Amino acid sequence: MLSGGGSRGAYEAGIIQYLREDLPRRLGFQPPIDIVTGTSVGAINAAFVASTMDDLPSQAQRLVSAWRALRIEELIGLGARDMWRAVTQLLGRDPPPPQPGTFRYGGILDTSGLERFVIKNIPWRGIERSLRKKALHAMSVSTTHVGTGHTVVFISAADPVPASWSRDPFVRHRAARIGPRHVLASAAIPLLFPSVKIGNEFFTDGGLRQNTPMSPAIRLGADRMLLVSLRHVNTPAEDALMSPLNTEAYPKPLFLVGKALNALMLDHTEYDLDRMQRLNAIMAAGEAAFGPQFVDVMNLELVKLRGAPIRRIEAVHIRPSLDIGAMASDFVAAGKIIVTSRLTRSLISRLAENESRRENDLLSYLLFDGNWASELIALGRRDAAAKEEELLNFFAPCAGPTVEAEEDETRRSQVTGVR
């Protein structure tokens, strides 16, 4: 499960790199991933993973290379004309009507470069190929319907998707052949990026209501989940350190924009995990008190009430060990960003100055820069390595039969005539 956060998504690439390049040395096999769900930038990474399941050894390197090749000037319009359009829209002027044939509308930034990058760097036909070959069970991307504000989950699956998906009146699912528009819609950061038209409807960032897409994974059949979120949770000591440094930034509009994005993309992962762990505890206690049939008996009634049974789910959660907003502040202050345009460099510096001296939340969403991506990739790889023992236990049940076991099964089939 890959969550949203703009350019922070490079952190997810670092975790995928650890899973594909480092963990197999301890496991002895490539960790299998049957279901991939993503929201916002997580949808971009999820689509890449789903489309390259036939090339696991080089999957991570291809993803990491794509992130490291990013140049913000090539992805997001930051020229004088772009800034003038952004200012006029912020002052209340309606965006120009969409051109015939276009699928984008609104947004104060021109993201056509990002769209070309997504279309070019993801082998889209690979998603359906992975599903046909059973290398992947299903993938989903979460979006927000502009007209209703409801979450719409687009799903590509090897098997038919159940008609009764969720009884939540604010969540809908749609079977689809997931392509660039679905992913770009999921990644359309509200206010900043244009909404995307799919069919006759417009969609925007799925992170508004479902930033870490656990629910789609569970309903697609997952019983073990690896969750990646992009928000660091401060320790009490970090809060005490940051408070006086941030006070000066509170009145600044761009600082508030960054905080508003954090609020809009609020990560409910901790709450969802706590609820899941409580359900696991209830099932364990019920079986201890009433016997192994407890869950089956209880599910007879639960299916009537909620449309789906409950089951035990194991989860590993990886999140940044450092504050990515603070990292962005240090990155910009050190002048590491790759830009050739003086206007772009000046604009980024101005944006940094108008946030806090110690955290640049807004910029941390928009820094689609190769050097910045490299720092987040390294952080993701380190944080995944810190969870190595937990990940080994998590993936160990996925190991295939040993050579000895396969030979025993072959001898047995020769005797019985059954394979």
Side-chain angles (χ1 to χ4, degrees):
M1 275 127 282
L2 302 171
S3 59
S7 63
R8 298 177 180 212
Y11 177 84
E12 297 172 341
I15 291 172
I16 293 167
Q17 185 177 35
Y18 174 83
L19 292 177
R20 290 298 179 220
E21 297 181 3
D22 300 329
L23 192 63
R25 298 191 188 104
R26 292 285 309 276
L27 278 175
F29 59 91
Q30 279 285 350
I33 297 173
D34 306 308
I35 298 169
V36 184
T37 66
T39 297
S40 193
V41 72
I44 296 175
N45 287 331
F48 186 91
V49 169
S51 65
T52 55
M53 292 300 242
D54 59 350
D55 187 20
L56 297 185
S58 63
Q59 183 183 66
Q61 193 53 52
R62 290 168 62 185
L63 180 60
V64 165
S65 296
W67 273 99
R68 286 177 173 159
L70 294 179
R71 301 293 180 267
I72 190 169
E73 298 166 298
E74 299 172 2
L75 299 184
I76 300 176
L78 294 175
R81 182 178 297 178
D82 301 305
M83 292 303 99
W84 173 250
R85 186 185 67 254
V87 169
T88 57
Q89 290 186 32
L90 287 172
L91 292 176
R93 178 181 294 180
D94 290 337
Q99 297 295 321
T102 187
F103 60 89
R104 296 179 289 119
Y105 183 67
I108 64 174
L109 296 176
D110 177 7
T111 60
S112 55
L114 178 61
E115 290 157 12
R116 288 192 295 271
F117 172 84
V118 168
I119 292 170
K120 175 184 175 183
N121 284 277
I122 296 176
W124 292 99
R125 294 181 181 178
I127 297 175
E128 292 301 316
R129 185 169 60 248
S130 296
L131 293 170
R132 285 196 309 271
K133 293 182 176 181
K134 304 296 184 179
L136 182 72
H137 174 69
M139 78 160 293
S140 76
V141 298
S142 300
T143 66
T144 301
H145 188 275
V146 171
T148 63
H150 295 171
T151 294
V152 177
V153 182
F154 290 99
I155 303 163
S156 287
D159 301 319
V161 179
S164 57
W165 175 261
S166 171
R167 294 193 179 182
D168 186 337
F170 304 109
V171 178
R172 298 287 184 269
H173 79 284
R174 298 185 186 179
R177 184 167 182 165
I178 291 176
R181 291 196 191 187
H182 303 94
V183 169
L184 289 168
S186 182
I189 298 175
L191 306 178
L192 299 179
F193 290 5
S195 56
V196 175
K197 189 176 184 181
I198 301 173
N200 294 318
E201 302 164 294
F202 279 95
F203 297 85
T204 190
D205 201 305
L208 293 176
R209 295 194 72 246
Q210 195 177 84
N211 198 39
T212 304
M214 292 175 60
S215 176
I218 292 171
R219 294 187 181 277
L220 287 168
D223 53 17
R224 286 194 295 275
M225 303 192 300
L226 175 56
L227 300 91
V228 181
S229 53
L230 300 175
R231 293 276 308 273
H232 170 70
V233 175
N234 283 344
T235 64
E238 288 173 324
D239 281 332
L241 177 65
M242 295 294 293
S243 181
L245 294 173
N246 286 340
T247 300
E248 67 198 50
Y250 289 159
K252 297 180 180 181
L254 291 179
F255 180 84
L256 295 176
V257 170
K259 293 304 178 188
L261 275 177
N262 278 347
L264 286 172
M265 312 287 279
L266 186 62
D267 188 352
H268 296 281
T269 307
E270 298 292 351
Y271 170 78
D272 290 339
L273 280 172
D274 181 66
R275 184 173 62 175
M276 185 184 73
Q277 289 163 356
R278 290 187 183 191
L279 280 174
N280 287 344
I282 289 171
M283 286 184 279
E287 289 181 343
F290 302 106
Q293 74 281 1
F294 171 78
V295 174
D296 292 335
V297 173
M298 186 168 61
N299 275 332
L300 291 175
E301 296 301 320
L302 285 175
V303 169
K304 299 175 186 176
L305 292 173
R306 62 190 295 270
I310 61 171
R311 63 184 185 276
R312 283 191 183 83
I313 298 173
E314 181 183 352
V316 174
H317 181 204
I318 303 177
R319 71 185 320 154
S321 57
L322 300 176
D323 186 330
I324 293 181
M327 288 178 63
S329 180
D330 294 339
F331 178 83
V332 174
K336 298 178 182 178
I337 192 167
I338 309 169
V339 290
T340 56
S341 166
R342 292 179 59 186
L343 176 63
T344 302
R345 183 177 292 277
S346 174
L347 175 64
I348 291 171
S349 298
R350 188 67 59 88
L351 285 172
E353 291 169 1
N354 279 278
E355 289 201 71
S356 165
R357 284 187 300 153
R358 283 300 303 149
E359 56 179 319
N360 290 139
D361 287 315
L362 177 59
L363 275 177
S364 74
Y365 284 94
L366 299 178
L367 277 175
F368 290 96
D369 173 87
N371 285 347
W372 170 241
S374 292
E375 295 197 5
L376 293 184
I377 289 166
L379 177 64
R381 197 170 184 176
R382 289 198 305 271
D383 287 348
K387 295 263 188 175
E388 183 170 274
E389 293 305 319
E390 196 172 344
L391 289 169
L392 288 171
N393 293 330
F394 178 79
F395 283 111
C398 303
T402 63
V403 174
E404 291 81 3
E406 289 182 342
E407 290 175 348
D408 289 343
E409 176 64 15
T410 300
R411 285 193 294 270
R412 187 187 70 82
S413 66
Q414 290 171 346
V415 173
T416 64
V418 177
R419 178 69 176 173

